[in-house]
Amino acid sequence: MTAFGRLWRRAPVWRTSLIMTVGALGMAAFYPTAPVKKALPWLPGHAPGAHPSKAGSTASPAAGGPSAPGAGQDDGSGQVGLPDVGITQRGSLQIAGRTLPLPAGDWHPILIAQTGPHREVSQQVLARTDRGVVSGVIIVHATQQAVPQDVATDLETPCHDDRNYAARITNTANIEECSYTGNAVLSNHTISTDPFITAAFNRMSTLGFPIPPLMVNVGWYHVSKQGTQGVQVETVETLVAPIEQGSRQLLAPPQYWNKASIHQNPDAAHFIDALDRWMLSWSKVLRQGFDGTLNTASLVPPLINDPSAPRPS
């Protein structure tokens, strides 16, 4: 008999407590309170007063659910899905009626969601694997219809982070756009406090995806004003792993990947410079995808090759 079996037989109080705990967790999942459902919209149950057909449709073992944009205040109208991670996507994909170009490699869908009062915001997380290791992650938020300006304002915050290696901001009468480069450190299995992103990274961890301890984020933010109707928004965060091919080993120790120290290590500095140059061209491709002018036949090397793009063995 195993140690657990002996404990189960000889400790009735512990056994009763364990049964009650599991039962309580199950009840909380299927009959969550409103605050719990708001914080964890992926739970299978629905909050009191919420119509079951409007609750999140997919249960997930990962913590967290959609939060931004238009989430974090999810009132039960959001919907989260767990796509088949065995699917391989290359070249481009469609999201919110637009074309999203993909850097080189095999990309696998990790988590998808539609949020907002009218499910007007589409969210998706994809991961790229190379020799079994995650070498890239894409996090995209895109509106399917005009949303209030304050949604765009919330999403613009990373553009002005002083910790970024670089940032480029452009404002015209009807367009706001920025691209930036910064680092993203893996902590508690995620790189963000955003529940949707946390859920995606938790799912990758649960499925056994080897994730490097640090990635470099090349972010792109684009807002198109729609007169009095609001704005159309798209944000694309492309997390690129500064690792040796087929390994989780960083090109430089973690202490060299901050803005103040990056040029103290030649390998780290070279990687950031190469990634920043690549983003100059890639941001134009993302803009074309947003505007509907992208020719997907143009998505070939070297344009699609970020510094961690898979290379032949």
Side-chain angles (χ1 to χ4, degrees), residues 1-307:
M1 182 180 293
T2 64
F4 178 84
R6 290 194 297 272
L7 183 62
W8 180 267
R9 290 172 59 90
R10 299 177 182 178
V13 174
W14 173 84
R15 184 172 65 240
T16 302
S17 299
L18 180 62
I19 293 172
M20 293 178 65
T21 299
V22 172
L25 289 174
M27 293 292 289
F30 284 94
Y31 302 98
T33 62
V36 170
K37 186 63 178 179
K38 179 179 176 181
L40 306 173
W42 48 265
L43 287 173
H46 58 89
H51 195 281
S53 64
K54 293 185 178 181
S57 65
T58 306
S60 165
S67 92
Q73 298 91 28
D74 196 319
D75 61 358
S77 62
Q79 184 176 27
V80 182
L82 301 178
D84 180 2
V85 297
I87 296 173
T88 298
Q89 295 175 300
R90 300 174 184 171
S92 64
L93 59 83
Q94 295 294 310
I95 183 169
R98 305 189 193 97
T99 300
L100 176 70
L102 300 174
D106 295 337
W107 293 90
H108 307 279
I110 301 299
L111 201 64
I112 58 175
Q114 288 185 308
T115 59
H118 306 290
R119 296 184 182 176
E120 64 270 34
V121 181
S122 295
Q123 300 172 257
Q124 187 163 354
V125 175
L126 303 105
R128 178 179 66 190
T129 55
D130 180 21
R131 298 171 177 85
V133 177
V134 174
S135 64
V137 175
I138 291 176
I139 304 165
V140 57
H141 303 80
T143 56
Q144 302 180 61
Q145 62 190 58
V147 296
Q149 177 68 44
D150 58 350
V151 173
T153 302
D154 292 341
L155 288 171
E156 189 183 14
T157 301
C159 296
H160 305 284
D161 193 327
D162 291 338
R163 295 169 295 180
N164 290 337
Y165 304 119
R168 298 174 181 87
I169 301 174
T170 303
N171 289 311
T172 63
N174 295 312
I175 300 293
E176 296 179 28
E177 181 178 301
C178 86
S179 61
Y180 58 91
T181 308
N183 68 24
V185 179
L186 191 69
S187 177
N188 294 324
H189 304 292
T190 187
I191 50 90
S192 173
T193 57
D194 181 322
F196 177 72
I197 297 174
T198 297
F201 272 80
N202 281 347
R203 188 176 190 221
M204 283 190 277
S205 297
T206 300
L207 293 173
F209 282 68
I211 305 172
L214 179 144
M215 307 184 88
V216 180
N217 180 13
V218 281
W220 182 79
Y221 160 92
H222 186 93
V223 173
S224 174
K225 298 178 182 177
Q226 307 291 303
T228 59
Q229 300 177 6
V231 295
Q232 289 274 14
V233 187
E234 184 169 307
T235 68
V236 182
E237 295 178 275
T238 305
L239 308 176
V240 180
I243 55 176
E244 299 174 1
Q245 291 289 311
S247 167
R248 280 190 289 180
Q249 181 68 41
L250 296 176
L251 295 173
Q255 64 266 27
Y256 291 108
W257 293 99
N258 62 67
K259 184 177 181 180
S261 305
I262 192 69
H263 291 290
Q264 296 177 18
N265 185 286
D267 291 333
H270 175 76
F271 184 90
I272 294 300
D273 289 344
L275 191 60
D276 194 47
R277 289 194 302 272
W278 175 76
M279 188 56 182
L280 284 173
S281 300
W282 194 244
S283 61
K284 297 176 183 178
V285 178
L286 291 170
R287 188 182 312 120
Q288 291 170 355
F290 182 94
D291 293 336
T293 61
L294 177 62
N295 177 8
T296 55
S298 68
L299 298 176
V300 295
L303 177 62
I304 62 174
N305 285 350
D306 61 86

